[in-house]
Structures are given as structure tokens and as C-alpha cells.
Amino acid sequence: MSKVDLSVDLGRIKLKNPVLVSSGTFGYGREFGDFFDVGRLGGIVTKAISPAPREGNPPPRTIETAAGLLNAIGLENCGLDAFVGEKLPYLSGLDTAVIVNVAGRCEDDYVKVVERLTGEEGVDGFEINISCPNVSEGGIEFGTCPETAARLTAALRKKTDKELIIKLSPNVTDTSLIALAVKDAGADALSLVNTYRGMAIDVETGRPVLGNKTGGLSGPAIKPLALYQVYQVSFKVNLPVIGMGGIVSAGDAMEFIFAGADAVSVGTANLVNPASSVEILEGIEKYCIDRGIGRVSDCSGRSHKF
């Protein structure tokens, strides 16, 4: 039994600890089961699901940059039917929260996925991806306009009573405006931030390296930027927040919690060290024990007091 209460409330979901894994970096959970007991995590956020399978963008899809990773996967996924038949049975057997990331080209795509999965056992909530910077339609188009984001949120709120988490893009002038709009439309929580739009060019040929030309930058390079976004949005918007962006250590995770996050999500670090998320969880527990912190939730938003 831990000396620290690691549980946190994320809207309608009670997590046994604050460590989640980010969509697109952890597959559908089973892929990491050979490395550690994924049931130890506070929750798993699945790879994005759309109504029909998606092939994603043409290769190359990833490139390592200084302190970060550029990706243009393009929301490749198995589709709704295959997810329900092949992926969900495994996920529903895990002793952890399961949050399904939902993507679409239009509002109806999102509605179809949420409406179908609301009736499935083993799904605790939805993370609505309105913030992907490497697809040509849908995704970020919903996340750059408060009115559009609110309309989509309201449509989904009518279809589910499960946790509705809106994943926000940092590629806007003021993220808090989008956050306030989706809150008023019925969102239960916020997830931020997704990747920053970027690109890389081959200096020998002058050609963009990624097959999609541009992609999303993640990893330690974006941590100060993401931390600022979490700090600002959590101060202005009274909703639970999942903070993410360059978390590779327990110290990074605690920074996000102090900035106002209720939970954190580990992303790119999973691709470097498959056990990084559980190591970060162990580090958070040790951090609290060493400092006599009885409940990790008491640390959320501490930086706002200064």
C-alpha cells in the first residue's frame, strides 16, 4: 500500500493515479503489455479511431529533430468495427481507465464513433481530437475556431453521458478561447496540448523530409511551450486538465501538475523507452514520499498561488 494517495478526479472518471499515455504513442495498449503491466497506469488513451480505417499519410512519416520528433502519421487506424471486435476486448479487461481518442473528417464522423462506443463496455470516456496538425481535413479545422469547436462538442454531448475530453491545439492565438467555448458546450475536461506544427527540409535536395511536407513536433523541445499553455488555460477555465508535451521524467510531470494539470499524459517518451510511463509514475510516488506529500491532487495548480 502506497504512503501517497495518487488518485485524481478527472471529471466523471476517477483515476487511480495521474499518469496516462498519449494517443498515437501507445497503440491500443496490448503493444506495450510485454514491457510492463499496463494496468498500473491511471489510464490508456487509445490510438485515434475513425468510422472507417485510415491509411494515413505517405512516408516518410517521422523524423527526429533536436530535442523532438516530427510526425505526420495522418491518423492511421483500424477503423471502428475492427476496434470494437479486435482491440476493445483486451482493453476492457485491463484494471485501468480506457479513453478512446476520436478523429474524423466531418462532424458526422465524430458522432458515429461516439454514438457506437457509448454503448460498449470498457470505454470510460472519449478524447476528441480537434487538434491534429498533419491531416488535410477535419482535425485541426475544428480546433481553431471557438464556434466550430463548440458546435462539435455540443453535438457529441447529446450522444453520450460518458466523459467528454476535448484535445486542444496550441496552433491558435489564444487556446483559452477554444477551451471556454467547449466548456460552455458541455465538455467535461480538456487535454492539452497536441503537437506544434513544424517541418524539416533535406539540405542536399531542398525537399521537405516528411511525405506530408509538414507535421507535428513533440518531445522535450515543446515542454516549456506546453507548460505555459496548461498554466494559462487551467487558470482561466474551470475544467479538469490533462497536461502533456515533452514529459520524460517525474519532474516534468510534477511541473505540469503544479501548473494546473489534474493528470498528465506521456507521449513521445514511450517511443524512446517503452517503460517510461510506469517509471514516471514510480518517480511521482517517490517525489511525494520524499517531501511528505500525502495526496498528489493537492499539488495541482500550486504555481497559481505565487
Side-chain angles (χ1 to χ4, degrees):
M1 180 69 69
S2 173
K3 298 178 181 178
V4 182
D5 181 0
L6 294 172
S7 66
V8 297
D9 290 328
L10 189 66
R12 301 162 188 249
I13 305 175
K14 188 175 182 65
L15 304 176
K16 59 185 175 183
N17 64 68
V19 180
L20 307 171
V21 285
S22 301
S23 175
T25 69
F26 208 75
Y28 300 101
R30 187 189 297 272
E31 296 88 337
F32 283 72
D34 290 338
F35 298 101
F36 64 94
D37 175 11
V38 296
R40 294 178 61 189
L41 298 173
I44 292 174
V45 182
T46 71
K47 191 171 176 60
I49 299 297
S50 54
R54 290 184 66 146
E55 293 185 357
N57 288 323
R61 293 180 172 185
T62 61
I63 180 171
E64 188 174 353
T65 70
L69 178 74
L70 272 173
N71 93 84
I73 304 300
L75 301 175
E76 176 196 7
N77 73 93
C78 64
L80 182 55
D81 288 341
F83 176 75
V84 172
E86 302 169 12
K87 312 298 184 183
L88 191 53
Y90 170 80
L91 289 164
S92 62
L94 297 174
D95 181 26
T96 190
V98 174
I99 299 169
V100 178
N101 183 278
V102 182
R105 290 184 168 91
C106 62
E107 182 178 303
D108 191 51
D109 282 354
Y110 290 91
V111 169
K112 285 179 180 177
V113 175
V114 169
E115 191 169 33
R116 169 82 178 275
L117 293 181
T118 289
E120 296 288 341
E121 292 292 329
V123 175
D124 295 290
F126 303 99
E127 181 184 67
I128 308 304
N129 188 350
I130 60 169
S131 56
C132 183
N134 57 61
V135 292
S136 58
E137 70 289 304
I140 198 169
E141 293 182 1
F142 289 100
T144 56
C145 171
E147 292 77 16
T148 305
R151 185 170 64 247
L152 176 62
T153 302
L156 298 177
R157 181 76 285 163
K158 294 176 182 177
K159 299 297 182 180
T160 187
D161 59 357
K162 293 187 176 181
E163 180 86 349
L164 195 57
I165 305 163
I166 308 300
K167 189 169 188 177
L168 302 181
S169 169
N171 300 299
V172 295
T173 302
D174 188 348
T175 310
S176 62
L177 293 179
I178 312 292
L180 288 167
V182 299
K183 175 183 182 293
D184 291 342
D188 295 305
L190 304 170
S191 180
L192 66 153
V193 294
N194 208 330
T195 55
Y196 283 78
R197 185 184 285 114
M199 70 182 301
I201 295 175
D202 185 328
V203 295
E204 297 299 329
T205 65
R207 296 184 57 166
V209 174
L210 294 172
N212 191 58
K213 297 184 180 178
T214 64
L217 179 65
S218 62
I222 74 167
K223 194 193 94 176
L225 302 171
L227 194 66
Y228 168 76
Q229 295 279 2
V230 169
Y231 180 82
Q232 288 291 100
V233 170
S234 64
F235 182 75
K236 295 180 180 180
V237 185
N238 185 27
L239 280 181
V241 168
I242 303 171
M244 66 189 75
I247 296 173
V248 298
S249 69
D252 293 334
M254 290 306 304
E255 282 191 71
F256 276 87
I257 292 170
F258 285 138
D262 298 274
V264 295
S265 195
V266 181
T268 301
N270 295 315
L271 309 178
V272 179
N273 170 16
S276 61
S277 55
V278 76
E279 291 175 2
I280 289 170
L281 170 59
E282 292 168 351
I284 291 173
E285 183 176 26
K286 184 178 186 302
Y287 176 94
C288 292
I289 290 173
D290 289 348
R291 290 159 180 78
I293 298 170
R295 294 188 304 179
V296 69
S297 60
D298 290 341
C299 297
S300 181
R302 181 177 294 179
S303 296
H304 294 297
K305 299 177 181 179
F306 297 96

